[in-house]
Amino acid sequence: MLKKALENALTSEESNELISAFDQIGDIIIVRIPDSLLSKKKIIGETLLNEVKVARSVFYQASDVEGDFRTRNLEILAGEENTETEYKEFGCKFVVDVENAFFSPRLSTERERIANLIQEGEEITNMFAGVGMFSIMAAKKKKCIVYSIDINPVASKLCKKNIELNKLVGNVISINGDASEIIKEQLVNKSDRTLMLLPERSDEFLESAINTTKNGGIIHYYSHIHADKKSEAGKLSEEHYLQVTPVQSKILGSKIVRAVGPRYYQTVVDVKISK
Ligand SMILES: C[S@@+](CC[C@H](N)C(=O)[O-])C[C@H]1O[C@@H](n2cnc3c(N)ncnc32)[C@H](O)[C@@H]1O
């Protein structure tokens, strides 16, 4: 669709160089542009703004997702320079800020999977909750209490706003701070289920995840794993988890969440712990 919209602005050769994947989040479009086409970024932005009817702003993604807050730098190409927008997923409404707090529309299948696993009455610790996507979808689907922690103040503030928007005050609790500190101070042995969606640093935070999880509770352990064969990625992450965990654990399952590079995958291992 991106290439089609740009037919008049780029030669077919240039069009082929464009990375066809781009994200549309509410009325914002975020596009990645290869170095060879950077001189044409303005015309790319303006064409997209004209061609995609719902678009209000087109941004160029000028950096990878990086730093503690897992955010990215965006540069306005066309339209309004406002990085906040409203996004809808499975009947929930979210205000997101695509530059100042982590957000990815590409995790929606995983969010639905987790929401379906939750049992009525569960307490859940979401250690790296961002603007509350997983927490709110879970609490909208099942009656449960979710402690929704994030270290980024912008993410925690938006999470609070999203809790109100979805009428989940009291069911989802937004807490700003470092997950290990918050757990130590307020959430030891509190959760039936713990989410660890910071795959780059799961091993570092595993002890805190175990701390907040009750005996017999479940941890969703996300990580990044190299695998020559895609079919082996899940098994390899299970083996990795079993090597690093200090507690007795029963593996309930594992899967690839998404590819993050060549032969490199984000995976999740679901485990039931005994302590
Ligand atoms: C990959 S994002 C996941 C966000 C969210 N679960 C989602 O799917 O939209 C990781 C989040 O962890 C937060 N984070 C990083 N270090 C943290 C820490 N020590 N304690 C709590 N949150 C942290 C970042 O601010 C970021 O929002």
Side-chain angles (χ1 to χ4, degrees), residues 65 67-70 101-104 107 111 126-134 149-152 155 177-180 197-201 205 258:
V65 169
D68 274 354
F69 295 171
R70 310 308 296 144
F102 176 91
F103 168 74
S104 172
L107 292 168
R111 290 193 268 269
N126 187 0
M127 292 174 69
F128 312 107
V131 301
M133 303 294 299
F134 275 81
I149 310 168
D150 204 282
I151 201 166
N152 176 355
D178 169 66
S180 11
L197 228 158
L198 184 61
E200 301 84 354
R201 297 174 66 192
F205 285 97
R258 57 178 174 168

PDB file of all heavy atoms in Angstrom, residues 65 67-70 101-104 107 111 126-134 149-152 155 177-180 197-201 205 258, ligand 1:
ATOM      1  N   VAL A  65      14.104   1.742  18.558  1.00  0.00           N
ATOM      2  CA  VAL A  65      13.568   1.808  19.915  1.00  0.00           C
ATOM      3  C   VAL A  65      14.752   1.619  20.849  1.00  0.00           C
ATOM      4  O   VAL A  65      15.505   0.658  20.703  1.00  0.00           O
ATOM      5  CB  VAL A  65      12.507   0.699  20.109  1.00  0.00           C
ATOM      6  CG1 VAL A  65      12.116   0.545  21.564  1.00  0.00           C
ATOM      7  CG2 VAL A  65      11.286   1.002  19.255  1.00  0.00           C
ATOM      8  N   GLY A  67      17.058   2.846  24.804  1.00  0.00           N
ATOM      9  CA  GLY A  67      17.107   3.405  26.152  1.00  0.00           C
ATOM     10  C   GLY A  67      16.201   2.677  27.122  1.00  0.00           C
ATOM     11  O   GLY A  67      15.473   1.753  26.752  1.00  0.00           O
ATOM     12  N   ASP A  68      16.249   3.097  28.402  1.00  0.00           N
ATOM     13  CA  ASP A  68      15.447   2.449  29.450  1.00  0.00           C
ATOM     14  C   ASP A  68      13.955   2.504  29.156  1.00  0.00           C
ATOM     15  O   ASP A  68      13.203   1.595  29.492  1.00  0.00           O
ATOM     16  CB  ASP A  68      15.696   3.153  30.793  1.00  0.00           C
ATOM     17  CG  ASP A  68      16.918   2.574  31.493  1.00  0.00           C
ATOM     18  OD1 ASP A  68      17.478   1.577  30.977  1.00  0.00           O
ATOM     19  OD2 ASP A  68      17.321   3.135  32.534  1.00  0.00           O
ATOM     20  N   PHE A  69      13.526   3.615  28.534  1.00  0.00           N
ATOM     21  CA  PHE A  69      12.088   3.784  28.303  1.00  0.00           C
ATOM     22  C   PHE A  69      11.620   3.075  27.017  1.00  0.00           C
ATOM     23  O   PHE A  69      10.443   3.058  26.713  1.00  0.00           O
ATOM     24  CB  PHE A  69      11.714   5.274  28.214  1.00  0.00           C
ATOM     25  CG  PHE A  69      11.916   6.056  29.489  1.00  0.00           C
ATOM     26  CD1 PHE A  69      11.800   7.445  29.496  1.00  0.00           C
ATOM     27  CD2 PHE A  69      12.210   5.423  30.690  1.00  0.00           C
ATOM     28  CE1 PHE A  69      11.975   8.181  30.666  1.00  0.00           C
ATOM     29  CE2 PHE A  69      12.392   6.147  31.874  1.00  0.00           C
ATOM     30  CZ  PHE A  69      12.277   7.524  31.854  1.00  0.00           C
ATOM     31  N   ARG A  70      12.555   2.506  26.251  1.00  0.00           N
ATOM     32  CA  ARG A  70      12.253   1.827  24.983  1.00  0.00           C
ATOM     33  C   ARG A  70      11.450   2.748  24.050  1.00  0.00           C
ATOM     34  O   ARG A  70      10.410   2.364  23.506  1.00  0.00           O
ATOM     35  CB  ARG A  70      11.482   0.503  25.217  1.00  0.00           C
ATOM     36  CG  ARG A  70      12.069  -0.448  26.224  1.00  0.00           C
ATOM     37  CD  ARG A  70      13.515  -0.782  26.003  1.00  0.00           C
ATOM     38  NE  ARG A  70      13.787  -1.487  24.763  1.00  0.00           N
ATOM     39  CZ  ARG A  70      14.886  -1.291  24.025  1.00  0.00           C
ATOM     40  NH1 ARG A  70      15.796  -0.414  24.365  1.00  0.00           N
ATOM     41  NH2 ARG A  70      15.057  -1.976  22.928  1.00  0.00           N
ATOM     42  N   ALA A 101       6.496   7.304  24.880  1.00  0.00           N
ATOM     43  CA  ALA A 101       6.240   6.096  25.680  1.00  0.00           C
ATOM     44  C   ALA A 101       6.172   4.919  24.718  1.00  0.00           C
ATOM     45  O   ALA A 101       5.651   5.062  23.610  1.00  0.00           O
ATOM     46  CB  ALA A 101       4.918   6.227  26.438  1.00  0.00           C
ATOM     47  N   PHE A 102       6.675   3.758  25.143  1.00  0.00           N
ATOM     48  CA  PHE A 102       6.680   2.596  24.251  1.00  0.00           C
ATOM     49  C   PHE A 102       5.259   2.239  23.845  1.00  0.00           C
ATOM     50  O   PHE A 102       4.346   2.198  24.661  1.00  0.00           O
ATOM     51  CB  PHE A 102       7.322   1.387  24.943  1.00  0.00           C
ATOM     52  CG  PHE A 102       7.268   0.142  24.090  1.00  0.00           C
ATOM     53  CD1 PHE A 102       8.301  -0.154  23.229  1.00  0.00           C
ATOM     54  CD2 PHE A 102       6.160  -0.705  24.122  1.00  0.00           C
ATOM     55  CE1 PHE A 102       8.248  -1.282  22.412  1.00  0.00           C
ATOM     56  CE2 PHE A 102       6.091  -1.836  23.313  1.00  0.00           C
ATOM     57  CZ  PHE A 102       7.145  -2.115  22.462  1.00  0.00           C
ATOM     58  N   PHE A 103       5.099   1.945  22.576  1.00  0.00           N
ATOM     59  CA  PHE A 103       3.837   1.388  22.098  1.00  0.00           C
ATOM     60  C   PHE A 103       4.093   0.620  20.808  1.00  0.00           C
ATOM     61  O   PHE A 103       4.808   1.109  19.939  1.00  0.00           O
ATOM     62  CB  PHE A 103       2.787   2.484  21.839  1.00  0.00           C
ATOM     63  CG  PHE A 103       1.608   1.945  21.096  1.00  0.00           C
ATOM     64  CD1 PHE A 103       0.687   1.146  21.756  1.00  0.00           C
ATOM     65  CD2 PHE A 103       1.452   2.159  19.744  1.00  0.00           C
ATOM     66  CE1 PHE A 103      -0.370   0.575  21.077  1.00  0.00           C
ATOM     67  CE2 PHE A 103       0.387   1.593  19.050  1.00  0.00           C
ATOM     68  CZ  PHE A 103      -0.522   0.812  19.722  1.00  0.00           C
ATOM     69  N   SER A 104       3.540  -0.575  20.685  1.00  0.00           N
ATOM     70  CA  SER A 104       3.657  -1.310  19.428  1.00  0.00           C
ATOM     71  C   SER A 104       2.325  -1.965  19.080  1.00  0.00           C
ATOM     72  O   SER A 104       1.794  -2.753  19.863  1.00  0.00           O
ATOM     73  CB  SER A 104       4.731  -2.394  19.529  1.00  0.00           C
ATOM     74  OG  SER A 104       4.671  -3.185  18.355  1.00  0.00           O
ATOM     75  N   LEU A 107       1.989  -6.169  18.876  1.00  0.00           N
ATOM     76  CA  LEU A 107       1.878  -7.151  19.960  1.00  0.00           C
ATOM     77  C   LEU A 107       0.422  -7.523  20.235  1.00  0.00           C
ATOM     78  O   LEU A 107       0.125  -8.163  21.242  1.00  0.00           O
ATOM     79  CB  LEU A 107       2.525  -6.586  21.239  1.00  0.00           C
ATOM     80  CG  LEU A 107       4.051  -6.424  21.193  1.00  0.00           C
ATOM     81  CD1 LEU A 107       4.535  -5.590  22.379  1.00  0.00           C
ATOM     82  CD2 LEU A 107       4.742  -7.785  21.220  1.00  0.00           C
ATOM     83  N   ARG A 111      -1.272  -9.839  23.241  1.00  0.00           N
ATOM     84  CA  ARG A 111      -2.128  -9.245  24.281  1.00  0.00           C
ATOM     85  C   ARG A 111      -3.428 -10.036  24.383  1.00  0.00           C
ATOM     86  O   ARG A 111      -3.915 -10.313  25.480  1.00  0.00           O
ATOM     87  CB  ARG A 111      -2.437  -7.785  23.928  1.00  0.00           C
ATOM     88  CG  ARG A 111      -1.233  -6.885  24.045  1.00  0.00           C
ATOM     89  CD  ARG A 111      -1.625  -5.416  24.004  1.00  0.00           C
ATOM     90  NE  ARG A 111      -1.606  -4.813  22.704  1.00  0.00           N
ATOM     91  CZ  ARG A 111      -0.558  -4.178  22.159  1.00  0.00           C
ATOM     92  NH1 ARG A 111       0.552  -4.061  22.848  1.00  0.00           N
ATOM     93  NH2 ARG A 111      -0.627  -3.627  20.979  1.00  0.00           N
ATOM     94  N   ASN A 126       2.090  -6.575  36.236  1.00  0.00           N
ATOM     95  CA  ASN A 126       2.611  -6.292  34.898  1.00  0.00           C
ATOM     96  C   ASN A 126       3.830  -5.390  35.115  1.00  0.00           C
ATOM     97  O   ASN A 126       3.697  -4.190  35.360  1.00  0.00           O
ATOM     98  CB  ASN A 126       1.526  -5.616  34.054  1.00  0.00           C
ATOM     99  CG  ASN A 126       1.951  -5.441  32.606  1.00  0.00           C
ATOM    100  OD1 ASN A 126       3.062  -5.815  32.224  1.00  0.00           O
ATOM    101  ND2 ASN A 126       1.082  -4.866  31.795  1.00  0.00           N
ATOM    102  N   MET A 127       5.033  -6.002  35.085  1.00  0.00           N
ATOM    103  CA  MET A 127       6.243  -5.308  35.552  1.00  0.00           C
ATOM    104  C   MET A 127       6.698  -4.162  34.650  1.00  0.00           C
ATOM    105  O   MET A 127       7.311  -3.216  35.110  1.00  0.00           O
ATOM    106  CB  MET A 127       7.398  -6.312  35.679  1.00  0.00           C
ATOM    107  CG  MET A 127       7.193  -7.318  36.787  1.00  0.00           C
ATOM    108  SD  MET A 127       8.492  -8.591  36.783  1.00  0.00           S
ATOM    109  CE  MET A 127       9.938  -7.679  37.285  1.00  0.00           C
ATOM    110  N   PHE A 128       6.431  -4.290  33.360  1.00  0.00           N
ATOM    111  CA  PHE A 128       6.923  -3.291  32.383  1.00  0.00           C
ATOM    112  C   PHE A 128       5.744  -2.905  31.503  1.00  0.00           C
ATOM    113  O   PHE A 128       5.680  -3.256  30.329  1.00  0.00           O
ATOM    114  CB  PHE A 128       8.075  -3.886  31.565  1.00  0.00           C
ATOM    115  CG  PHE A 128       9.113  -4.558  32.425  1.00  0.00           C
ATOM    116  CD1 PHE A 128       9.237  -5.946  32.470  1.00  0.00           C
ATOM    117  CD2 PHE A 128       9.963  -3.797  33.214  1.00  0.00           C
ATOM    118  CE1 PHE A 128      10.173  -6.557  33.285  1.00  0.00           C
ATOM    119  CE2 PHE A 128      10.901  -4.402  34.031  1.00  0.00           C
ATOM    120  CZ  PHE A 128      11.008  -5.790  34.066  1.00  0.00           C
ATOM    121  N   ALA A 129       4.800  -2.166  32.090  1.00  0.00           N
ATOM    122  CA  ALA A 129       3.449  -2.093  31.522  1.00  0.00           C
ATOM    123  C   ALA A 129       3.246  -1.045  30.444  1.00  0.00           C
ATOM    124  O   ALA A 129       2.208  -1.043  29.788  1.00  0.00           O
ATOM    125  CB  ALA A 129       2.464  -1.849  32.660  1.00  0.00           C
ATOM    126  N   GLY A 130       4.186  -0.133  30.262  1.00  0.00           N
ATOM    127  CA  GLY A 130       3.992   0.921  29.262  1.00  0.00           C
ATOM    128  C   GLY A 130       2.734   1.718  29.571  1.00  0.00           C
ATOM    129  O   GLY A 130       2.451   2.057  30.722  1.00  0.00           O
ATOM    130  N   VAL A 131       1.932   1.999  28.542  1.00  0.00           N
ATOM    131  CA  VAL A 131       0.713   2.800  28.727  1.00  0.00           C
ATOM    132  C   VAL A 131      -0.464   1.931  29.166  1.00  0.00           C
ATOM    133  O   VAL A 131      -1.606   2.385  29.189  1.00  0.00           O
ATOM    134  CB  VAL A 131       0.361   3.597  27.449  1.00  0.00           C
ATOM    135  CG1 VAL A 131       1.505   4.523  27.064  1.00  0.00           C
ATOM    136  CG2 VAL A 131       0.012   2.670  26.284  1.00  0.00           C
ATOM    137  N   GLY A 132      -0.180   0.667  29.501  1.00  0.00           N
ATOM    138  CA  GLY A 132      -1.210  -0.200  30.094  1.00  0.00           C
ATOM    139  C   GLY A 132      -1.950  -1.090  29.099  1.00  0.00           C
ATOM    140  O   GLY A 132      -3.032  -1.598  29.409  1.00  0.00           O
ATOM    141  N   MET A 133      -1.361  -1.322  27.927  1.00  0.00           N
ATOM    142  CA  MET A 133      -2.060  -2.107  26.902  1.00  0.00           C
ATOM    143  C   MET A 133      -2.488  -3.491  27.411  1.00  0.00           C
ATOM    144  O   MET A 133      -3.661  -3.849  27.356  1.00  0.00           O
ATOM    145  CB  MET A 133      -1.154  -2.296  25.672  1.00  0.00           C
ATOM    146  CG  MET A 133      -0.652  -1.041  25.039  1.00  0.00           C
ATOM    147  SD  MET A 133      -1.940  -0.059  24.296  1.00  0.00           S
ATOM    148  CE  MET A 133      -2.586  -1.149  23.065  1.00  0.00           C
ATOM    149  N   PHE A 134      -1.518  -4.272  27.904  1.00  0.00           N
ATOM    150  CA  PHE A 134      -1.818  -5.627  28.392  1.00  0.00           C
ATOM    151  C   PHE A 134      -2.759  -5.561  29.603  1.00  0.00           C
ATOM    152  O   PHE A 134      -3.694  -6.340  29.713  1.00  0.00           O
ATOM    153  CB  PHE A 134      -0.529  -6.348  28.808  1.00  0.00           C
ATOM    154  CG  PHE A 134       0.197  -7.026  27.683  1.00  0.00           C
ATOM    155  CD1 PHE A 134       1.029  -6.312  26.837  1.00  0.00           C
ATOM    156  CD2 PHE A 134       0.066  -8.393  27.471  1.00  0.00           C
ATOM    157  CE1 PHE A 134       1.708  -6.940  25.799  1.00  0.00           C
ATOM    158  CE2 PHE A 134       0.742  -9.042  26.437  1.00  0.00           C
ATOM    159  CZ  PHE A 134       1.568  -8.309  25.597  1.00  0.00           C
ATOM    160  N   ILE A 149       3.069  -1.511  36.370  1.00  0.00           N
ATOM    161  CA  ILE A 149       4.260  -0.716  36.752  1.00  0.00           C
ATOM    162  C   ILE A 149       5.021  -0.254  35.503  1.00  0.00           C
ATOM    163  O   ILE A 149       5.212  -1.029  34.571  1.00  0.00           O
ATOM    164  CB  ILE A 149       5.243  -1.571  37.593  1.00  0.00           C
ATOM    165  CG1 ILE A 149       4.511  -2.266  38.750  1.00  0.00           C
ATOM    166  CG2 ILE A 149       6.410  -0.742  38.103  1.00  0.00           C
ATOM    167  CD1 ILE A 149       5.350  -3.355  39.437  1.00  0.00           C
ATOM    168  N   ASP A 150       5.486   0.989  35.513  1.00  0.00           N
ATOM    169  CA  ASP A 150       6.443   1.420  34.481  1.00  0.00           C
ATOM    170  C   ASP A 150       7.335   2.518  35.053  1.00  0.00           C
ATOM    171  O   ASP A 150       6.902   3.327  35.869  1.00  0.00           O
ATOM    172  CB  ASP A 150       5.750   1.922  33.214  1.00  0.00           C
ATOM    173  CG  ASP A 150       6.671   1.803  31.999  1.00  0.00           C
ATOM    174  OD1 ASP A 150       7.576   2.667  31.840  1.00  0.00           O
ATOM    175  OD2 ASP A 150       6.531   0.846  31.226  1.00  0.00           O
ATOM    176  N   ILE A 151       8.589   2.527  34.599  1.00  0.00           N
ATOM    177  CA  ILE A 151       9.562   3.494  35.112  1.00  0.00           C
ATOM    178  C   ILE A 151       9.452   4.845  34.388  1.00  0.00           C
ATOM    179  O   ILE A 151       9.896   5.869  34.903  1.00  0.00           O
ATOM    180  CB  ILE A 151      10.995   2.912  34.990  1.00  0.00           C
ATOM    181  CG1 ILE A 151      11.951   3.607  35.937  1.00  0.00           C
ATOM    182  CG2 ILE A 151      11.488   2.933  33.551  1.00  0.00           C
ATOM    183  CD1 ILE A 151      13.280   2.892  36.118  1.00  0.00           C
ATOM    184  N   ASN A 152       8.806   4.853  33.218  1.00  0.00           N
ATOM    185  CA  ASN A 152       8.689   6.079  32.427  1.00  0.00           C
ATOM    186  C   ASN A 152       7.459   6.867  32.909  1.00  0.00           C
ATOM    187  O   ASN A 152       6.324   6.390  32.769  1.00  0.00           O
ATOM    188  CB  ASN A 152       8.551   5.697  30.941  1.00  0.00           C
ATOM    189  CG  ASN A 152       8.329   6.894  30.035  1.00  0.00           C
ATOM    190  OD1 ASN A 152       8.186   8.025  30.488  1.00  0.00           O
ATOM    191  ND2 ASN A 152       8.286   6.635  28.741  1.00  0.00           N
ATOM    192  N   ALA A 155       4.619   7.198  30.403  1.00  0.00           N
ATOM    193  CA  ALA A 155       3.851   5.953  30.221  1.00  0.00           C
ATOM    194  C   ALA A 155       2.868   5.760  31.383  1.00  0.00           C
ATOM    195  O   ALA A 155       1.686   5.446  31.162  1.00  0.00           O
ATOM    196  CB  ALA A 155       4.812   4.766  30.122  1.00  0.00           C
ATOM    197  N   GLY A 177       7.596   3.714  38.627  1.00  0.00           N
ATOM    198  CA  GLY A 177       8.839   3.442  39.339  1.00  0.00           C
ATOM    199  C   GLY A 177       9.536   2.224  38.769  1.00  0.00           C
ATOM    200  O   GLY A 177       9.054   1.599  37.808  1.00  0.00           O
ATOM    201  N   ASP A 178      10.679   1.890  39.383  1.00  0.00           N
ATOM    202  CA  ASP A 178      11.442   0.716  38.959  1.00  0.00           C
ATOM    203  C   ASP A 178      10.741  -0.550  39.481  1.00  0.00           C
ATOM    204  O   ASP A 178      10.442  -0.647  40.678  1.00  0.00           O
ATOM    205  CB  ASP A 178      12.860   0.825  39.537  1.00  0.00           C
ATOM    206  CG  ASP A 178      13.628  -0.457  39.365  1.00  0.00           C
ATOM    207  OD1 ASP A 178      13.912  -0.828  38.223  1.00  0.00           O
ATOM    208  OD2 ASP A 178      13.920  -1.111  40.390  1.00  0.00           O
ATOM    209  N   ALA A 179      10.511  -1.500  38.593  1.00  0.00           N
ATOM    210  CA  ALA A 179       9.727  -2.688  38.962  1.00  0.00           C
ATOM    211  C   ALA A 179      10.318  -3.422  40.162  1.00  0.00           C
ATOM    212  O   ALA A 179       9.574  -3.833  41.067  1.00  0.00           O
ATOM    213  CB  ALA A 179       9.611  -3.620  37.758  1.00  0.00           C
ATOM    214  N   SER A 180      11.654  -3.583  40.216  1.00  0.00           N
ATOM    215  CA  SER A 180      12.198  -4.345  41.359  1.00  0.00           C
ATOM    216  C   SER A 180      11.974  -3.613  42.669  1.00  0.00           C
ATOM    217  O   SER A 180      11.671  -4.243  43.693  1.00  0.00           O
ATOM    218  CB  SER A 180      13.681  -4.683  41.207  1.00  0.00           C
ATOM    219  OG  SER A 180      14.269  -4.027  40.191  1.00  0.00           O
ATOM    220  N   LEU A 197       7.363  -8.042  30.164  1.00  0.00           N
ATOM    221  CA  LEU A 197       7.585  -7.679  28.767  1.00  0.00           C
ATOM    222  C   LEU A 197       8.703  -6.648  28.565  1.00  0.00           C
ATOM    223  O   LEU A 197       8.476  -5.557  28.048  1.00  0.00           O
ATOM    224  CB  LEU A 197       6.283  -7.221  28.127  1.00  0.00           C
ATOM    225  CG  LEU A 197       6.081  -7.914  26.778  1.00  0.00           C
ATOM    226  CD1 LEU A 197       4.632  -7.927  26.355  1.00  0.00           C
ATOM    227  CD2 LEU A 197       6.950  -7.371  25.661  1.00  0.00           C
ATOM    228  N   LEU A 198       9.900  -7.037  29.002  1.00  0.00           N
ATOM    229  CA  LEU A 198      11.114  -6.258  28.694  1.00  0.00           C
ATOM    230  C   LEU A 198      12.153  -7.312  28.294  1.00  0.00           C
ATOM    231  O   LEU A 198      13.052  -7.660  29.063  1.00  0.00           O
ATOM    232  CB  LEU A 198      11.558  -5.459  29.922  1.00  0.00           C
ATOM    233  CG  LEU A 198      12.752  -4.512  29.747  1.00  0.00           C
ATOM    234  CD1 LEU A 198      12.457  -3.432  28.712  1.00  0.00           C
ATOM    235  CD2 LEU A 198      13.127  -3.859  31.069  1.00  0.00           C
ATOM    236  N   PRO A 199      11.980  -7.891  27.087  1.00  0.00           N
ATOM    237  CA  PRO A 199      12.711  -9.120  26.737  1.00  0.00           C
ATOM    238  C   PRO A 199      14.227  -9.009  26.808  1.00  0.00           C
ATOM    239  O   PRO A 199      14.898  -9.992  27.095  1.00  0.00           O
ATOM    240  CB  PRO A 199      12.264  -9.417  25.302  1.00  0.00           C
ATOM    241  CG  PRO A 199      11.478  -8.255  24.830  1.00  0.00           C
ATOM    242  CD  PRO A 199      11.094  -7.431  26.007  1.00  0.00           C
ATOM    243  N   GLU A 200      14.752  -7.799  26.580  1.00  0.00           N
ATOM    244  CA  GLU A 200      16.217  -7.626  26.596  1.00  0.00           C
ATOM    245  C   GLU A 200      16.790  -7.838  27.989  1.00  0.00           C
ATOM    246  O   GLU A 200      17.971  -8.117  28.141  1.00  0.00           O
ATOM    247  CB  GLU A 200      16.623  -6.209  26.172  1.00  0.00           C
ATOM    248  CG  GLU A 200      16.179  -5.766  24.792  1.00  0.00           C
ATOM    249  CD  GLU A 200      14.749  -5.225  24.752  1.00  0.00           C
ATOM    250  OE1 GLU A 200      14.038  -5.283  25.784  1.00  0.00           O
ATOM    251  OE2 GLU A 200      14.331  -4.778  23.679  1.00  0.00           O
ATOM    252  N   ARG A 201      15.964  -7.658  29.055  1.00  0.00           N
ATOM    253  CA  ARG A 201      16.520  -7.664  30.409  1.00  0.00           C
ATOM    254  C   ARG A 201      15.807  -8.657  31.344  1.00  0.00           C
ATOM    255  O   ARG A 201      15.826  -8.494  32.566  1.00  0.00           O
ATOM    256  CB  ARG A 201      16.447  -6.240  30.983  1.00  0.00           C
ATOM    257  CG  ARG A 201      17.293  -5.269  30.162  1.00  0.00           C
ATOM    258  CD  ARG A 201      17.124  -3.835  30.631  1.00  0.00           C
ATOM    259  NE  ARG A 201      17.635  -3.618  31.970  1.00  0.00           N
ATOM    260  CZ  ARG A 201      17.394  -2.507  32.682  1.00  0.00           C
ATOM    261  NH1 ARG A 201      16.667  -1.537  32.187  1.00  0.00           N
ATOM    262  NH2 ARG A 201      17.890  -2.374  33.897  1.00  0.00           N
ATOM    263  N   PHE A 205      15.737  -9.278  35.744  1.00  0.00           N
ATOM    264  CA  PHE A 205      14.548  -9.020  36.565  1.00  0.00           C
ATOM    265  C   PHE A 205      13.829 -10.300  37.007  1.00  0.00           C
ATOM    266  O   PHE A 205      12.784 -10.225  37.635  1.00  0.00           O
ATOM    267  CB  PHE A 205      13.571  -8.116  35.798  1.00  0.00           C
ATOM    268  CG  PHE A 205      14.006  -6.676  35.745  1.00  0.00           C
ATOM    269  CD1 PHE A 205      14.671  -6.164  34.648  1.00  0.00           C
ATOM    270  CD2 PHE A 205      13.762  -5.820  36.820  1.00  0.00           C
ATOM    271  CE1 PHE A 205      15.080  -4.844  34.603  1.00  0.00           C
ATOM    272  CE2 PHE A 205      14.169  -4.500  36.786  1.00  0.00           C
ATOM    273  CZ  PHE A 205      14.828  -4.001  35.669  1.00  0.00           C
ATOM    274  N   ARG A 258       7.259 -12.644  17.906  1.00  0.00           N
ATOM    275  CA  ARG A 258       7.510 -12.010  16.603  1.00  0.00           C
ATOM    276  C   ARG A 258       8.989 -12.134  16.261  1.00  0.00           C
ATOM    277  O   ARG A 258       9.820 -12.358  17.157  1.00  0.00           O
ATOM    278  CB  ARG A 258       7.094 -10.529  16.620  1.00  0.00           C
ATOM    279  CG  ARG A 258       7.776  -9.726  17.707  1.00  0.00           C
ATOM    280  CD  ARG A 258       7.372  -8.275  17.648  1.00  0.00           C
ATOM    281  NE  ARG A 258       7.909  -7.540  18.777  1.00  0.00           N
ATOM    282  CZ  ARG A 258       7.919  -6.226  18.873  1.00  0.00           C
ATOM    283  NH1 ARG A 258       7.413  -5.498  17.920  1.00  0.00           N
ATOM    284  NH2 ARG A 258       8.419  -5.635  19.931  1.00  0.00           N
TER     285      ARG A 258
HETATM  286  C1  LIG B   1       8.986  -3.235  25.663  1.00  0.00           C
HETATM  287  S1  LIG B   1       8.136  -2.037  26.601  1.00  0.00           S
HETATM  288  C2  LIG B   1       6.651  -2.926  26.982  1.00  0.00           C
HETATM  289  C3  LIG B   1       5.486  -2.029  27.263  1.00  0.00           C
HETATM  290  C4  LIG B   1       4.127  -2.711  27.354  1.00  0.00           C
HETATM  291  N1  LIG B   1       4.158  -3.978  28.068  1.00  0.00           N
HETATM  292  C5  LIG B   1       3.476  -2.872  25.990  1.00  0.00           C
HETATM  293  O1  LIG B   1       3.461  -3.981  25.473  1.00  0.00           O
HETATM  294  O2  LIG B   1       2.998  -1.874  25.442  1.00  0.00           O
HETATM  295  C6  LIG B   1       9.052  -2.038  28.094  1.00  0.00           C
HETATM  296  C7  LIG B   1       8.621  -0.990  29.111  1.00  0.00           C
HETATM  297  O3  LIG B   1       9.411  -1.219  30.297  1.00  0.00           O
HETATM  298  C8  LIG B   1       9.651   0.024  30.928  1.00  0.00           C
HETATM  299  N2  LIG B   1      10.796  -0.173  31.846  1.00  0.00           N
HETATM  300  C9  LIG B   1      12.123  -0.248  31.562  1.00  0.00           C
HETATM  301  N3  LIG B   1      12.846  -0.479  32.672  1.00  0.00           N
HETATM  302  C10 LIG B   1      11.953  -0.581  33.696  1.00  0.00           C
HETATM  303  C11 LIG B   1      12.087  -0.832  35.091  1.00  0.00           C
HETATM  304  N4  LIG B   1      13.275  -1.021  35.657  1.00  0.00           N
HETATM  305  N5  LIG B   1      10.969  -0.890  35.832  1.00  0.00           N
HETATM  306  C12 LIG B   1       9.733  -0.689  35.273  1.00  0.00           C
HETATM  307  N6  LIG B   1       9.559  -0.421  33.962  1.00  0.00           N
HETATM  308  C13 LIG B   1      10.639  -0.382  33.177  1.00  0.00           C
HETATM  309  C14 LIG B   1       9.881   0.995  29.770  1.00  0.00           C
HETATM  310  O4  LIG B   1       9.623   2.319  30.156  1.00  0.00           O
HETATM  311  C15 LIG B   1       8.872   0.457  28.720  1.00  0.00           C
HETATM  312  O5  LIG B   1       7.654   1.159  28.782  1.00  0.00           O
END
